[in-house]
């Protein structure tokens, strides 16, 4: 009995509340027991981290699932060290940083699987995340649970709006915020 339970346990890296809704619903519909993990040192600035965290607390309360918040590990320097001088390939290193940490926690916690809400976003490099997850897992007992959650993109947006939670307008890092605002900045000059 305990073995079956263990095989159903998945540690889900969660980038933000809105992206978690249909992912958690979908995995549960498949019979998985989901625990979230909020580990995102890429988010800039700290106030934004707190807003996204709050949105996830709201989603977790509504859907009733547990979340591990690694708040003490929130340190932008960790993200910046990983991506310095390789900004053009920064997303790969950002994914790796977060998936590696998720896998480590999953192994320690005896989870049979780990996954990420990054697989929900149409804005992310989906295939890179899938391949990276499988590569990190290797042949270990903790498998990468790959699903293409993107077909629920619109549904997730509608649900997050109906929940009234904070919905960010940039991916997370300082670079993505700059890219989001660049057009506005150029119009000023
Ligand atoms: S754009 Fe998003 S995925 Fe890419 S490095 Fe920035 S926060 Fe990470």
């Amino acid at each position: 009995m305990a073995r079956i339970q263990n095989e159903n346990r998945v540690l889900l890296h969660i980038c933000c509340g809105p992206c978690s809704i249909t992912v958690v619903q979908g995995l549960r519909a498949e019979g998985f027991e989901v625990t979230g993990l909020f580990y995102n040192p890429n988010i800039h600035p700290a106030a934004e981290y707190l807003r996204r965290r709050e949105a996830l607390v709201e989603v977790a309360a509504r859907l009733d699932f547990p979340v591990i918040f690694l708040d003490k590990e929130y340190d932008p320097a960790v993200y910046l060290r990983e991506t310095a001088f390789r900004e053009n390939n920064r997303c790969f290193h950002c994914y790796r940083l977060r998936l590696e940490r998720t896998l480590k926690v999953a192994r320690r916690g005896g989870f049979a699987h780990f996954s990420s809400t990054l697989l929900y976003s149409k804005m992310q490099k989906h295939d890179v995340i899938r391949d990276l997850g499988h590569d990190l897992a290797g042949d270990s007992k903790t498998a990468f649970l790959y699903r293409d959650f993107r077909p629920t993109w619109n549904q997730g947006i509608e649900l997050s709006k109906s929940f009234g939670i904070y919905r960010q307008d940039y991916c997370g890092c300082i670079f993505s915020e700059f890219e989001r605002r660049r057009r506005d900045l150029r119009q000023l000059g």
Side-chain angles (χ1 to χ4, degrees):
M1 186 65 186
R3 185 176 152 77
I4 292 168
Q5 217 170 27
N6 186 52
E7 285 178 355
N8 287 343
R9 289 178 69 219
V10 52
L11 185 66
L12 178 69
H13 164 259
I14 296 178
C15 59
C16 63
C19 287
S20 71
I21 301 171
T22 58
V23 173
V24 171
Q25 289 176 330
L27 290 175
R28 279 177 159 176
E30 285 190 58
F32 289 105
E33 182 190 318
V34 180
T35 297
L37 180 78
F38 192 69
Y39 173 70
N40 299 293
N42 54 308
I43 298 174
H44 173 87
E48 177 72 15
Y49 174 89
L50 291 171
R51 287 188 87 182
R52 296 188 192 193
R53 182 191 192 284
E54 195 180 317
L56 175 56
V57 167
E58 171 78 26
V59 172
R62 280 177 177 267
L63 301 187
D64 191 23
F65 65 91
V67 181
I68 300 165
F69 291 93
L70 297 185
D71 298 321
K72 287 186 180 147
E73 295 184 31
Y74 174 71
D75 181 352
V78 172
Y79 163 79
L80 291 170
R81 264 186 233 119
E82 291 292 329
T83 55
F85 300 106
R86 43 194 188 187
E87 291 82 1
N88 291 339
N89 193 27
R90 67 179 188 269
C91 295
F92 173 83
H93 297 286
C94 182
Y95 301 148
R96 181 178 51 73
L97 176 65
R98 293 183 283 169
L99 288 178
E100 276 178 350
R101 191 72 186 99
T102 306
L103 175 58
K104 201 168 175 182
V105 176
R107 279 184 176 145
R108 194 180 303 152
F111 289 84
H113 310 272
F114 74 108
S115 192
S116 176
T117 56
L118 293 166
L119 294 167
Y120 160 83
S121 176
K122 287 185 174 179
M123 308 296 182
Q124 303 297 343
K125 301 175 196 320
H126 189 91
D127 295 353
V128 172
I129 298 162
R130 179 198 59 205
D131 294 349
L132 187 56
H134 287 308
D135 286 349
L136 290 173
D139 296 330
S140 73
K141 282 185 189 167
T142 308
F144 182 62
L145 184 65
Y146 170 71
R147 295 287 184 273
D148 186 353
F149 299 110
R150 291 174 296 180
T152 65
W153 176 253
N154 290 335
Q155 191 190 344
I157 290 172
E158 290 311 312
L159 282 168
S160 65
K161 285 180 180 171
S162 74
F163 287 3
I165 57 171
Y166 171 62
R167 294 171 40 77
Q168 67 272 6
D169 66 356
Y170 64 100
C171 188
C173 64
I174 191 169
F175 306 107
S176 62
E177 198 219 0
F178 171 64
E179 284 165 3
R180 182 72 178 78
R181 315 279 176 236
R182 181 158 42 193
R183 198 172 43 183
D184 296 340
L185 289 164
R186 287 199 173 143
Q187 279 172 357
L188 295 174

